[in-house]
Amino acid sequence: MKRLGLFLFITAALWLFWLVFVGNLDPQEMLVGAVAAALVTLLRSGQPCLLENVNFLNPRRVFMALAYIPYMIWAIIVANLDVARRVVQPRLDINPGIVRIKTRLKNPVARMILANSITLTPGTLTVEVSGDDLYIHWIDVHAQDSEAASREIAAGFEKYLEVIFG
Amino acid sequence: MAALDIIGALLVLLGSLFLFLGALGILRMPDLYNRMQTGTKATTLGNMLTLVGLGLLEPAWLPKICLIILFVLITNPLSSHALARAAHRAGYPLAAGSVTDALREDEQAGGIEPGSTACQVRDPGSDPQPEVAE
């Protein structure tokens, strides 16, 4: 049952991509797309899938996943303006360094999204991952202590990801 | 739809401003890591704004443009992480004014176990550290 759900989910996602690329809703295109998507999903079904342990059917998780998108966009805008301000100042206003932060997330997909979210918001850049530790290059270090840095860099994202990936 | 055209053009302009600032940052920043902060990521917003503006100018392209933005959002952090990680492993130093390098300290203390993210990497200790030109 779970495998079937995963199969349908991946097929539907691939089919959606196909339709967007094709750009029209001609029945012929839709049929070929559906067959191709199912075939591709079938061919990779033997391999382990990152989404295997994720349950998307919980409404609270779906809500948090949708809420994550505007949160992320807002974080990107704020951080971009911050870096832009640093770049144009006559004296470079930077205080760079690599700090270690600890994550509470256990799910590997959640960790990947956390690391990518941190990298995506300018000012912080994930350099290395080791166990529960993430090493972050920070353009303006104002907390060298691991715990304070974790709060400042990761806590906002973790709040969402903890719910989404349970 | 003149209003849509104007908003689209303004977004493209704003996007190119951010792309310009990203390029300026590459020139001004003192070391590779800081350059990557601006060069690969101040451009995220520039990319997104330019693409959304383009989508407003040509509404028929909007679905594909959303896909492009999605791909940029997925691949951009992956590549910047890979570059920064490779640079740090090759021993590329942080700029002189840097405050702390927890990763170097932990590496020297022997506490780092690379590959916990299920990717196989060569043990950097087994081959000589490459010299980094100043």
Side-chain angles (χ1 to χ4, degrees):
Chain A
M1 194 56 219
K2 209 175 157 191
R3 290 194 74 82
L4 182 70
L6 193 64
F7 175 82
L8 289 177
F9 180 78
I10 295 175
T11 306
L14 288 176
W15 192 46
L16 202 68
F17 271 79
W18 172 284
L19 290 180
V20 173
F21 275 128
V22 168
N24 63 50
L25 292 178
D26 185 355
Q28 227 172 10
E29 301 280 14
M30 291 173 77
L31 185 67
V32 174
V35 172
L39 205 66
V40 169
T41 316
L42 211 60
L43 282 177
R44 63 139 304 282
S45 63
Q47 278 129 45
C49 177
L50 279 177
L51 298 173
E52 219 139 13
N53 299 315
V54 183
N55 175 15
F56 288 109
L57 295 178
N58 182 323
R60 194 167 136 75
R61 288 183 187 175
V62 173
F63 174 77
M64 280 308 244
L66 291 179
Y68 191 65
I69 297 169
Y71 177 78
M72 195 61 221
I73 291 176
W74 180 243
I76 290 176
I77 292 173
V78 169
N80 261 292
L81 290 174
D82 181 64
V83 170
R85 181 183 62 78
R86 287 175 204 283
V87 169
V88 291
Q89 264 171 4
R91 267 191 76 248
L92 273 186
D93 176 23
I94 58 171
N95 189 23
I98 295 181
V99 295
R100 181 181 62 225
I101 68 169
K102 233 178 186 37
T103 175
R104 305 191 295 264
L105 300 170
K106 295 287 170 238
N107 186 302
V109 184
R111 281 187 178 184
M112 181 189 76
I113 294 178
L114 174 70
N116 277 358
S117 301
I118 289 173
T119 306
L120 206 49
T121 47
T124 49
L125 170 64
T126 312
V127 178
E128 181 70 274
V129 180
S130 166
D132 284 344
D133 296 330
L134 277 79
Y135 292 83
I136 311 285
H137 181 268
W138 201 357
I139 203 166
D140 180 23
V141 178
H142 39 269
Q144 292 195 26
D145 169 43
S146 164
E147 233 168 81
S150 310
R151 245 199 327 276
E152 201 144 332
I153 296 175
F157 301 119
E158 279 183 337
K159 209 171 55 198
Y160 287 84
L161 294 170
E162 259 180 346
V163 178
I164 297 171
F165 293 95
Chain B
M1 289 301 279
L4 217 56
D5 282 356
I6 293 172
I7 298 174
L10 282 179
L11 283 181
V12 172
L13 191 67
L14 201 61
S16 31
L17 180 71
F18 273 103
L19 290 171
F20 168 74
L21 288 178
L24 187 67
I26 295 183
L27 287 176
R28 293 200 66 196
M29 289 297 173
D31 68 352
L32 178 132
Y33 305 98
N34 288 302
R35 283 191 185 124
M36 293 200 29
Q37 298 273 16
T38 58
T40 65
K41 293 181 298 150
T43 56
T44 321
L45 191 62
N47 262 323
M48 282 164 66
L49 286 173
T50 311
L51 287 168
V52 170
L54 208 57
L56 292 181
L57 290 174
E58 288 283 345
W61 295 356
L62 209 50
K64 278 179 199 173
I65 282 176
C66 289
L67 270 194
I68 297 175
I69 291 178
L70 187 68
F71 285 139
V72 169
L73 285 183
I74 293 174
T75 53
N76 189 330
L78 282 180
S79 53
S80 20
H81 162 66
L83 283 170
R85 186 184 198 213
H88 201 277
R89 286 196 173 203
Y92 194 93
L94 271 72
S98 299
V99 191
T100 169
D101 187 350
L103 180 53
R104 170 74 64 240
E105 284 163 22
D106 285 9
E107 263 170 2
Q108 275 160 3
I112 282 281
E113 273 178 55
S116 57
T117 41
C119 63
Q120 290 297 319
V121 265
R122 262 186 327 156
D123 177 14
S126 63
D127 32 88
Q129 289 287 326
E131 289 296 320
V132 178
E134 288 302 317

